[in-house]
């Protein structure tokens, strides 16, 4: 959306072009790298360090998301939560979505005694922490917004080009072929061994995942959105996350083929 507004020239721009404090540590790191988890930065003892050259590997690390959140604030003058509420949540009436800071019986609540990074008294509502809650209904609507490329009730509410960029391949071609492929954060269907989309799903499928294991799967071939709510931060011994999330997709595919 910031590209549409002319505030970002290209995702091939280096993040340091916009956020000067990252010019040195993120030299060579582009917005494309941040959006596809190929930036090669990691956090170590409170500072960002280089794990691998940008575009040479794939790894989900928090610095990439943190930099993108700061970029939204820097360019729009709004915190991520405000920007999303004004431009998307309110427009599509996602009234059961938001960064929560107070306990409520309808929320799955987790609290670490040694580290208050989840929902607790000091949690932020600015969109910079892992305390975004969403109902199954709104999560399905989130997928539907992408499925229709920003249309609602026959009206083009958000620019179609936004969603075409988000859900098409953006991973640099310098990344080895066996590693995951992404659009803008979204997982894209691929035959890579680390892919988190069920292998039986059509090639057009794409998926977004949450910290607790929730998932929003979009399958354009079937004109369908499938979500799962999995509110857990720890799992039993022997749990295979990759197998589990793929099984979810494969089961969804099998059911959709029967409809």
């Amino acid at each position: 959306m910031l590209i549409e507004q002319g505030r970002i020239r290209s995702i091939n721009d280096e993040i340091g072009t916009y956020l000067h404090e990252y010019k040195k540590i993120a030299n060579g790191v582009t917005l494309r790298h941040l959006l596809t988890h190929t930036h090669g930065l990691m956090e170590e003892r409170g500072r960002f360090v280089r794990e691998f050259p940008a575009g040479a590997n794939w790894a989900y690390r928090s610095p990439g998301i943190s930099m993108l959140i700061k970029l939204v604030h820097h360019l729009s003058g709004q915190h991520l939560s405000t920007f999303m509420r004004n431009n998307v949540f309110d427009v599509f009436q996602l009234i059961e979505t938001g960064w929560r800071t107070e306990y409520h019986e309808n929320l799955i609540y987790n609290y670490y005694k040694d580290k208050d990074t989840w929902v607790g008294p000091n949690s932020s509502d600015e969109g910079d922490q892992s305390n975004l809650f969403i109902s199954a209904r709104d999560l399905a609507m989130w997928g539907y917004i992408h499925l229709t490329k920003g249309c609602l009730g026959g009206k083009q509410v958000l620019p179609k080009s936004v969603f075409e960029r988000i859900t098409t391949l953006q991973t640099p071609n310098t990344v080895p072929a066996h590693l995951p492929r992404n659009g803008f954060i979204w997982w894209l269907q691929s035959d890579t061994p680390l892919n988190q989309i069920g292998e039986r799903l059509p090639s057009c499928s794409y998926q977004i995942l949450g910290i607790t294991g929730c998932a929003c799967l979009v399958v354009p071939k079937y004109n369908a959105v499938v979500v799962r709510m999995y509110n857990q931060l720890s799992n039993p011994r022997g749990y295979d996350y990759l197998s589990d999330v793929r099984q979810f997709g494969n089961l969804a595919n099998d059911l959709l083929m029967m409809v």
Side-chain angles (χ1 to χ4, degrees):
M1 294 181 69
L2 291 170
I3 293 174
E4 289 292 332
Q5 296 171 8
R7 301 177 191 233
I8 293 175
R9 292 181 296 274
S10 167
I11 64 168
N12 293 317
D13 289 345
E14 291 191 17
I15 182 65
T17 302
Y18 300 93
L19 301 175
H20 295 164
E21 65 266 35
Y22 295 132
K23 267 187 174 294
K24 184 175 181 180
I25 184 58
N27 180 42
V29 174
T30 67
L31 305 187
R32 183 184 299 276
H33 293 133
L34 299 178
L35 290 163
T36 58
H37 308 309
T38 58
H39 50 82
L41 299 171
M42 63 182 294
E43 189 169 3
E44 188 176 87
R45 291 190 289 275
R47 63 189 184 94
F48 295 160
V49 297
R50 182 80 68 172
E51 184 178 7
F52 55 81
N57 205 333
W58 183 101
Y60 183 94
R61 298 288 186 264
S62 59
I65 302 300
S66 298
M67 288 180 178
L68 289 171
I69 290 172
K70 287 186 177 181
L71 180 65
V72 172
H73 188 203
H74 175 72
L75 295 179
S76 70
Q78 301 173 34
H79 294 297
L80 178 64
S81 56
T82 303
F83 182 87
M84 290 301 298
R85 184 173 64 249
N86 292 342
N87 291 280
V88 184
F89 296 169
D90 288 351
V91 175
F92 286 93
Q93 298 182 23
L94 300 180
I95 61 175
E96 298 168 332
T97 300
W99 283 267
R100 311 303 189 196
T101 60
E102 297 181 2
Y103 174 79
H104 189 279
E105 61 181 3
N106 290 337
L107 303 180
I108 301 299
Y109 182 78
N110 291 277
Y111 181 81
Y112 296 109
K113 292 181 179 179
D114 61 331
K115 187 172 64 172
D116 183 17
T117 56
W118 194 237
V119 176
N122 300 317
S123 290
S124 168
D125 63 357
E126 296 178 356
D128 59 348
Q129 293 188 17
S130 302
N131 58 334
L132 173 64
F133 284 83
I134 187 168
S135 67
R137 175 175 26 243
D138 274 10
L139 187 56
M141 186 62 177
W142 183 248
Y144 181 76
I145 293 169
H146 290 74
L147 178 66
T148 64
K149 294 183 175 10
C151 281
L152 182 64
K155 180 181 178 182
Q156 191 73 47
V157 180
L158 294 176
K160 182 178 181 180
S161 56
V162 169
F163 300 91
E164 290 175 337
R165 281 192 295 266
I166 289 172
T167 59
T168 55
L169 179 64
Q170 301 293 350
T171 298
N173 56 20
T174 55
V175 176
H178 69 280
L179 295 171
R181 264 41 194 172
N182 293 97
F184 284 11
I185 306 296
W186 286 80
W187 288 84
L188 305 182
Q189 179 63 295
S190 69
D191 58 2
T192 62
L194 294 178
N195 185 32
Q196 299 193 19
I197 299 179
E199 66 278 3
R200 296 201 294 271
L201 283 159
S203 60
C204 59
S205 307
Y206 48 94
Q207 179 173 256
I208 200 77
L209 303 167
I211 190 172
T212 60
C214 57
C216 179
L217 170 66
V218 181
V219 192
K221 180 178 179 179
Y222 300 132
N223 194 34
V225 174
V226 187
V227 303
R228 83 166 183 178
M229 310 304 284
Y230 185 67
N231 297 297
Q232 190 163 313
L233 291 179
S234 60
N235 292 288
R237 181 174 297 178
Y239 171 76
D240 187 334
Y241 167 75
L242 193 56
S243 174
D244 177 57
V245 74
R246 282 179 173 173
Q247 183 184 34
F248 157 70
N250 285 332
L251 289 172
N253 177 77
D254 297 346
L255 290 169
L256 289 170
M257 290 182 66
M258 296 169 58
V259 175

